[in-house]
Amino acid sequence: MGTITIKDVAKLCGVGVSTVSRAINNHPDINEETKNKIMKVIKENNYIPNNSARNLKRSNSKMIAVLIKGISNPFFSKMIKVIEEETQERKYSFLLHRVEDHEDEIDVALELVKEKKLRGIIFLGGHFTHSEEKLAQLDIPYVLCTVALTEKWRKELCSFVAVDDFKESYKIVDYLCKIGHKRIAIITTSLDDTSIGLIRYKGYLQALKDNNIEPDMKLVRSMKDDIETFTMDNGYVVMKELLESGEEFTAVFAISDSIAIGACKSILDAGKSVPEDYSVAGFDGLDIASYYNPTITTIRQPIDELAKEAVTILFDVIKKKADHQKCIFPGELIIGQSTKMI
């Protein structure tokens, strides 16, 4: 068969053209078995959807969207501001859209592309474990920024901008080990999560291992599902439970500064002090971490640079000036007053 059309796909599958279209665009109102059959035929026959009409309409649009998971995390506030400023400098409009924890980022993105005729997308937060077939449905340039990435990521699919979360969490936990701490707790995401929390947890484990410290799962504490993640509230409640458990520890690594500050408040409310009784370390380098008393030992992420690079790469791809890129920035260990040598 020569160049296959959408009508040919429909005929091969015994369905209507509209059904094929729904399968390609991942509409919910299609039987899963039918959808799988259609996608199999598409793959076997190398069918490429004719997006020329849709792309022609989109070429007149000048809108960039930021899709964010974890909008309550103050780490993203400054980043969003920089992305908006950089986008508007290029005479493009800016759309911010929240993605709920249970939602699929790609499904949300596909709907927005259709509704708003977007030219590009920056994804903030969350994690990408989608198949290549799923990602290929998104036919506009996009950049993953501070997103947990699986090993399946390929440069041809999209661009990626972040710090090395494994390396940076290793760095701060290794610092705690080097100043004498052997019983180091962690407040992280649930262990079946595949987001940045898991990557930082793995860095924590490796640092303990390299310092000849056996990890104790009783010191691994997950954020509460019924409380907004990456918040002071969550850090407070989890630390309160850890303190009340009676487990012995001398330091805690919280995978964000907000969690670390909540943990500090919980320690103080329990009649203990930071760092005299417990050392506390965070991650992100939020402004509030340097104004809190005591100042928080943390990993500072270069927020401005991350945001600007994400926008630069996105527009380079949109304007066909460059291919997709993977850009990893170094973090900086900031030693505050919340940790001490023992």
Side-chain angles (χ1 to χ4, degrees):
M1 184 179 288
T3 303
I4 191 170
T5 67
I6 193 169
K7 289 182 179 178
D8 295 325
V9 173
K11 188 174 180 181
L12 286 168
C13 296
V15 298
V17 169
S18 61
T19 303
V20 176
S21 179
R22 286 200 299 275
I24 292 170
N25 291 295
N26 204 36
H27 275 280
D29 56 340
I30 181 172
N31 177 277
E32 192 66 26
E33 186 179 342
T34 302
K35 177 184 168 184
N36 291 337
K37 180 181 178 182
I38 292 169
M39 297 310 290
K40 185 171 183 285
V41 168
I42 284 173
K43 187 174 181 180
E44 288 174 349
N45 292 275
N46 297 314
Y47 169 66
I48 301 173
N50 182 2
N51 294 317
S52 56
R54 186 169 32 169
N55 289 338
L56 184 62
K57 291 178 184 177
R58 189 181 297 138
S59 66
N60 297 320
S61 167
K62 298 186 75 174
M63 179 179 285
I64 299 300
V66 171
L67 270 63
I68 177 172
K69 267 193 175 179
I71 199 166
S72 60
N73 187 346
F75 170 73
F76 290 126
S77 301
K78 189 175 181 182
M79 185 170 281
I80 291 167
K81 184 175 183 291
V82 174
I83 292 173
E84 183 175 15
E85 289 170 352
E86 292 289 313
T87 300
Q88 291 175 345
E89 267 189 28
R90 291 165 170 81
K91 310 300 182 188
Y92 274 63
S93 55
F94 172 88
L95 171 70
L96 178 65
H97 189 93
R98 176 175 182 166
V99 181
E100 300 294 342
D101 286 340
H102 65 275
E103 288 185 301
D104 183 302
E105 300 96 329
I106 299 299
D107 288 342
V108 173
L110 289 168
E111 286 302 313
L112 278 178
V113 169
K114 284 189 293 183
E115 291 172 16
K116 305 294 184 181
K117 303 190 180 87
L118 300 176
R119 294 295 304 282
I121 296 174
I122 295 175
F123 290 94
L124 289 182
H127 58 281
F128 267 58
T129 55
H130 309 288
S131 66
E132 287 193 22
E133 289 78 14
K134 180 93 172 181
L135 293 173
Q137 294 176 38
L138 196 55
D139 62 344
I140 63 170
Y142 59 96
V143 177
L144 310 183
C145 186
T146 66
V147 171
L149 207 58
T150 67
E151 294 175 355
K152 293 187 293 184
W153 179 85
R154 290 196 302 110
K155 187 177 178 181
E156 294 78 12
L157 293 173
C158 62
S159 297
F160 177 72
V161 179
V163 299
D164 186 329
D165 288 280
F166 178 91
K167 180 180 176 181
E168 299 304 332
S169 64
Y170 178 100
K171 184 190 295 180
I172 198 164
V173 176
D174 182 62
Y175 167 74
L176 292 174
C177 296
K178 294 294 191 287
I179 60 173
H181 295 278
K182 297 186 182 301
R183 298 284 295 169
I184 304 170
I186 183 172
I187 302 177
T188 184
T189 51
S190 62
L191 298 186
D192 60 355
D193 184 68
T194 54
S195 71
I196 278 170
L198 179 62
I199 300 173
R200 293 179 187 174
Y201 170 64
K202 288 180 177 178
Y204 157 86
L205 290 178
Q206 190 63 48
L208 294 183
K209 180 181 177 183
D210 289 352
N211 283 278
N212 299 312
I213 298 171
E214 189 68 30
D216 184 346
M217 293 307 295
K218 294 191 289 295
L219 297 182
V220 177
R221 300 287 167 145
S222 299
M223 285 182 271
K224 301 298 179 186
D225 292 334
D226 58 342
I227 303 175
E228 196 82 49
T229 56
F230 293 93
T231 59
M232 296 181 213
D233 283 347
N234 223 316
Y236 185 95
V237 170
V238 175
M239 176 53 77
K240 187 172 186 289
E241 281 191 1
L242 177 56
L243 291 169
E244 291 174 349
S245 73
E247 294 296 335
E248 289 186 10
F249 66 101
T250 61
V252 60
F253 167 46
I255 66 165
S256 82
D257 288 341
S258 296
I259 298 169
I261 289 170
C264 286
K265 182 66 165 63
S266 189
I267 290 168
L268 295 173
D269 285 355
K272 300 294 184 179
S273 62
V274 177
E276 286 74 17
D277 295 304
Y278 301 103
S279 288
V280 178
F283 196 112
D284 285 337
L286 301 180
D287 289 343
I288 192 173
S290 60
Y291 284 97
Y292 187 77
N293 186 17
T295 56
I296 305 296
T297 294
T298 186
I299 292 291
R300 179 183 290 156
Q301 297 200 60
I303 296 175
D304 282 21
E305 290 89 338
L306 287 165
K308 288 178 180 179
E309 188 66 19
V311 175
T312 298
I313 290 173
L314 182 64
F315 276 93
D316 281 350
V317 177
I318 289 172
K319 297 177 184 299
K320 303 189 187 312
K321 291 181 180 178
D323 294 327
H324 291 300
Q325 301 171 50
K326 183 176 183 179
C327 188
I328 305 296
F329 284 86
E332 180 185 2
L333 174 61
I334 305 296
I335 300 172
Q337 299 162 340
S338 65
T339 52
K340 73 163 192 172
M341 183 177 290
I342 60 171

